[in-house]
Amino acid sequence: MSKGSPGPTPGFLVWRLANKWRVAVDRAVAPLGLTHAQYSLVASLYGMHRTGDRPSQRQLADHTGLEALYVSKLARTLEAAGLVDRTRDPRDPRAVRLALTEQGRAVTRQAIEVVQDLLQQLLEPLGGLDAPRTRAFTGELTALLDVPLAPPSVPTDERTKGTPS
């Protein structure tokens, strides 16, 4: 919380909401053998596949906002579980393409249903998933996510000047 604010800052509230959502999704998809991060990966793959795309790990990382190395780790774990196929891209040997297996599609469909029910519950105070307040809230979140962040600047003062990093 900031010194000038009588209540929580927007950043603190976004952080709390993100953590609440992560924990709720983790609990909801655990019976399907998934974590929230794995769900984010398979649900994104499911949506991309429906549009005819077989993304690379890098493309999926960009789509989900997850780090490429983390996507690679998640994909290997999901491959070991029989949910994802990883294949080398014949046009770029450094790239790995991802696709859901038949079992992966079945589990993902179930997980999407579970998470949609959870989302409806979470958004009930705004009127539910299809409510005008929810659409406005989604627009606000999208606007915030679309703003690129500049690299953090490091304050320089006499104490830090000339000290190695």
Side-chain angles (χ1 to χ4, degrees):
M1 295 210 283
S2 73
K3 296 177 203 166
S5 173
T9 64
F12 178 75
L13 292 173
V14 167
W15 177 73
R16 287 282 315 272
L17 183 59
N19 280 317
K20 178 180 180 175
W21 180 248
R22 183 193 48 77
V23 167
V25 173
D26 269 336
R27 288 180 182 152
V29 300
L32 298 170
L34 296 172
T35 65
H36 180 259
Q38 291 170 336
Y39 168 76
S40 296
L41 192 116
V42 296
S44 294
L45 264 177
Y46 186 82
M48 295 171 100
H49 174 74
R50 289 178 60 148
T51 64
D53 197 8
R54 184 178 176 141
S56 67
Q57 289 181 165
R58 163 54 64 198
Q59 289 168 319
L60 193 57
D62 292 344
H63 178 80
T64 60
L66 296 171
E67 292 292 326
L69 284 174
Y70 190 44
V71 167
S72 177
K73 178 184 173 192
L74 290 170
R76 282 192 305 273
T77 300
L78 291 164
E79 180 183 43
L83 303 178
V84 169
D85 279 329
R86 298 170 66 244
T87 56
R88 289 273 173 213
D89 186 329
R91 292 166 289 169
D92 181 358
R94 297 168 300 166
V96 175
R97 297 269 169 201
L98 302 174
L100 291 170
T101 63
E102 192 170 318
Q103 178 188 357
R105 284 189 297 279
V107 168
T108 301
R109 280 192 294 272
Q110 288 179 287
I112 288 170
E113 260 186 57
V114 167
V115 172
Q116 283 297 106
D117 290 346
L118 182 61
L119 188 56
Q120 181 66 32
Q121 180 185 348
L122 178 72
L123 293 170
E124 199 56 46
L126 299 180
L129 195 53
D130 296 319
R133 285 182 65 198
T134 299
R135 285 192 294 279
F137 179 61
T138 301
E140 297 292 341
L141 291 172
T142 301
L144 293 173
L145 287 169
D146 286 346
V147 175
L149 294 177
S153 60
V154 178
T156 55
D157 63 19
E158 292 305 312
R159 292 172 294 167
T160 60
K161 198 181 280 185
T163 58
S165 313

